[in-house]
Amino acid sequence: MSDPAAGRTERLRPRKGPYRRGRPKRRTRWTKVVVVARAFLIAAGLVTAYYLLPLDGYSARGTAVLLLSGLLAVVLVFVWELRTIIGSPHPRLKAVEALAATLVLFLVLFASAYYLLDRSAPGSFTEPLSRTDALYFTLTTFSTVGFGDIAARSETGRVMTMLQMAGGLVLVGFAARVLASAVQAGLRHRGPVGQETGADAGDTGDAGGAEDSEAEPETET
């Protein structure tokens, strides 16, 4: 004949399941480290490609075509990143990675265009541009610092600079808002799954213990 007291003791004993309170937090920290490292590697890879790829032999018209094609590629990458954010189990972290990749790609694209324009049409800027100078001019234009040491002199160079200014405003304002909306959609999309098998799994065990403790009076009676 079973002992009721032993049954109650068995139910009150902590359960050993596949989820523990420490694991979700450690997993989240590790995911953050991976995402930050991946964003850094993407940025470093794009900048390295900018310095290593052969960027010579383009005319001014070819440079303009290359710039427009690159902007289209930036838009396509951004749209693809939005779809990835919505379906990601960590939409906030994925949004950080997407913003880093899109921003660096945008800056490297314009730096390449300025460098190519200076090679194809000398005198387009107030001084000859090396790759570092072109990247420097791109960053000062994007950040609206505008030291004035390097400025566009030709009409094509000024059109490219205005295009970068407009694109930067869109990227900072509109694109950031769209990313925030995608993060909210991703959180709604993964909500029920996270409640069943995510960091809340430890709380599920506590709820089970509470249910057992509430069921004790019925056992005693």
Side-chain angles (χ1 to χ4, degrees):
M1 187 173 180
S2 58
D3 187 2
R8 289 196 300 271
T9 304
E10 186 67 25
R11 284 195 299 271
L12 293 175
R13 190 173 298 168
R15 296 184 177 184
K16 295 181 179 180
Y19 298 101
R20 296 181 180 178
R21 287 189 178 274
R23 289 184 180 179
K25 293 183 179 180
R26 287 197 296 268
R27 191 182 301 116
T28 302
R29 290 197 198 99
W30 177 246
T31 303
K32 290 180 180 178
V33 171
V34 170
V35 169
V36 172
R38 192 160 51 194
F40 177 79
L41 290 176
I42 291 173
L46 289 172
V47 174
T48 302
Y50 164 72
Y51 276 99
L52 295 181
L53 289 177
L55 298 176
D56 296 310
Y58 285 89
S59 62
R61 182 174 297 180
T63 301
V65 172
L66 181 65
L67 178 60
L68 294 177
S69 301
L71 288 176
L72 179 60
V74 171
V75 173
L76 293 177
V77 169
F78 183 74
V79 172
W80 178 78
E81 292 286 1
L82 289 178
R83 295 173 60 89
T84 306
I85 291 170
I86 295 175
S88 173
H90 304 284
R92 292 191 182 93
L93 298 179
K94 189 62 181 177
V96 173
E97 181 182 343
L99 184 60
T102 305
L103 177 60
V104 176
L105 181 60
F106 177 82
L107 296 176
V108 167
L109 174 64
F110 273 95
S112 303
Y114 294 141
Y115 177 79
L116 289 173
L117 178 63
D118 184 67
R119 286 292 179 273
S120 61
S124 296
F125 298 90
T126 52
E127 63 180 67
L129 299 184
S130 65
R131 299 198 188 208
T132 302
D133 294 334
L135 186 59
Y136 165 80
F137 176 69
T138 305
L139 288 173
T140 56
T141 302
F142 178 79
S143 61
T144 67
V145 174
F147 292 116
D149 49 352
I150 301 176
R153 180 179 290 173
S154 68
E155 184 176 350
T156 305
R158 290 175 178 175
V159 169
M160 286 186 178
T161 305
M162 289 189 294
L163 190 60
Q164 184 199 339
M165 291 176 182
L169 291 175
V170 171
L171 188 62
V172 171
F174 174 75
R177 185 172 299 180
V178 171
L179 283 176
S181 300
V183 168
Q184 295 300 323
L187 291 175
R188 289 193 300 267
H189 181 265
R190 69 143 192 175
V193 178
Q195 292 175 0
E196 292 175 2
T197 59
D200 300 332
D203 298 336
T204 305
D206 295 340
E211 291 176 359
D212 289 341
S213 60
E214 292 175 357
E216 286 183 11
E218 297 180 1
T219 306
E220 291 176 355
T221 57

